[in-house]
Amino acid sequence: MGERVGILVISYGSRAAAVIDALNRSEDYKARFYVVDKQRNPFNVRHATKHVVIPDLDVGKICDFVEANKTEIDFGFCCPEKPIIAGVRDAVESKTGVAMICPTKRYAIEESKAAQRLLLEECCAEANPRFKLFPCASEYESVSEVKRAVWDFLDEIGDEVAVKPDKPAAGKGVGVWGDHFTSRERLFEHFMSIFDGGSDVIIEEKVEGEESSFQAFCDGKRLAVLPETRDYKRAFDADIGENTGGMGSYKDNKDWLPFMDKSDREEEERMVQKIFNQLRGNASNEGLRGIPFYVAFMHTGKGAKILEINSRPGDPEIQNVLPVLKSDFVDVCFRMIEGNLSRVECDAKATVVTYAVPMDYGGYRVKYSGNRRVDLSSAYALQEQYGDNLRIYPGSMELREDGHTYALGSRTVCTVGIGESIAEAREISLDGIRNIDGALWNRGDIGAEYHIERSVGRMRRGRG
Ligand code: AMP
Ligand code: GLY
């Protein structure tokens, strides 16, 4: 039995269940969990010593919970971006003295995509597509004037662009030429739907290529890189439909993906290191503790571009990594706080995450008004067959007074399959999904051979 340690986990989605699961596997420490949750997530409720529901994850209320339990809590880990952007690290540390693992408000890099682009311009310009910011509270006097400004920019860079809100939208709200619109008028409608909503808009060059997600832990001095993953953002099989929070993801049994070379991965590491160097100043900057750079890359075959940077773990991408973390996760957390982080080791295994989501998620059904009860017992029973190679992480699910679990509005539950190959991991993940009882749906092609071969082919053509 290891040393007792109290850990605050701020939860949103199944990512937090994966964090708790990984901390719980520590051999050196016996973790007790103090969970701040959006709802009564059944996994978190089962594992928590204390569990509190704060639906809006308000920083003041989180501080009150930490203050009331601070003698029991050694450190906190924040999963979602909203409290990070609202300054949860700064507030909890200054008011309660409990160290937090996440960047300070100043380094909540996802707060502005325009600021990200300007930062990259300074330290890693090769990662930027051409872009322009259209501020909504600005000099434009009429819609036709806005339109003219948009048209002028399109005349300059061409119609093949992505149109994005300059605020975190978890991938939603992004419109891409050829996928979401094929005429300037439609593009402009998308633009105005963001602009009228009171958000600045970025238009940037459309980058054609293969996406991957890079993540790294950080203690302010060093980055400890994690294996690469591929997220499936689009709602439907074959990457059609609207952008979602992510329908699933895969990781290969090495640090890079089948469509990448080792050199692609090294290029990414060099780029992220440049961003880190720019922000860390002289050797060290504790404000960057946590996962300050979860980077969405687009690989074109002729160099990589950065689509977006977040200062938190990816959901579902971190669920690909934490189940195969070989290093003791509690120890890694202490090292991040103490400033002596070194390499983080993972098993050389492939993992596939598949999300089961409500019928009306991602536009699969316009409306679903039926029963939302979800029963995971048959899926859990499969763990007798697969052991640790199948993980089940409830996300937007709620344990109610009647003792049953229900799906709420967002991604309901994910299954993680772990295997020697992506194909093996995928079968386990899908078997888990098939055994979930509830009115849910899922993409069937996460980590599918045809999908990976398509990526490999496109990269080969891109390399020319
Ligand atoms: P973001 O929120 O910026 O990560 O964008 C969400 C998704 O939109 C990405 O995962 C891409 O699939 C797509 N996307 C964003 N920016 C671009 C771009 N410049 N070119 C092509 N696709 C993009
Ligand atoms: N997988 C998308 C995100 O975490 O933002």
Side-chain angles (χ1 to χ4, degrees), residues 4-15:
R4 223 164 86 165
V5 53
I7 306 173
L8 166 78
V9 176
I10 303 176
S11 159
Y12 181 106
S14 89
R15 172 179 49 193

Side-chain angles (χ1 to χ4, degrees), residues 8-12 15-16 34-37 57 62 66 76-80 83 88 92 100:
L8 166 78
V9 176
I10 303 176
S11 159
Y12 181 106
R15 172 179 49 193
Y34 295 77
V35 180
V36 171
D37 223 336
L57 299 177
I62 294 172
V66 181
F77 191 102
C78 182
C79 298
V88 75
V92 168
M100 289 296 295

Side-chain angles (χ1 to χ4, degrees), residues 141-153:
E141 280 181 0
S142 63
V143 173
S144 59
E145 213 175 293
V146 180
K147 197 173 193 175
R148 197 165 330 115
V150 170
W151 259 228
D152 284 349
F153 186 56

Side-chain angles (χ1 to χ4, degrees), residues 113 117 129 161-162 164 170-172 174 176 204-208 211 233-234 243 296 298 307-308:
K113 286 183 202 272
R117 290 274 169 249
V161 294
K164 312 180 176 192
K172 299 166 203 157
V174 176
V176 180
E204 64 188 29
E205 189 186 344
K206 175 176 173 179
V207 186
E208 305 260 19
E211 285 187 63
K233 287 239 168 55
R234 297 306 185 79
N243 278 316
M298 188 75 98
L307 297 183
E308 194 192 19

Side-chain angles (χ1 to χ4, degrees), residues 15 170 231 233 245-246 294 310 312-317 411:
R15 172 179 49 193
D231 183 18
K233 287 239 168 55
Y294 148 42
N310 288 278
R312 57 167 174 86
D315 181 352
E317 292 100 317
R411 294 172 292 175

Side-chain angles (χ1 to χ4, degrees), residues 346-377:
C346 288
D347 289 323
K349 294 275 173 76
T351 62
V352 171
V353 179
T354 311
Y355 253 118
V357 301
M359 301 304 282
D360 48 0
Y361 186 81
Y364 188 66
R365 293 280 191 282
V366 172
K367 196 163 124 190
Y368 175 71
S369 49
N371 194 346
R372 289 198 173 246
R373 195 167 143 197
V374 176
D375 181 357
L376 299 180
S377 55

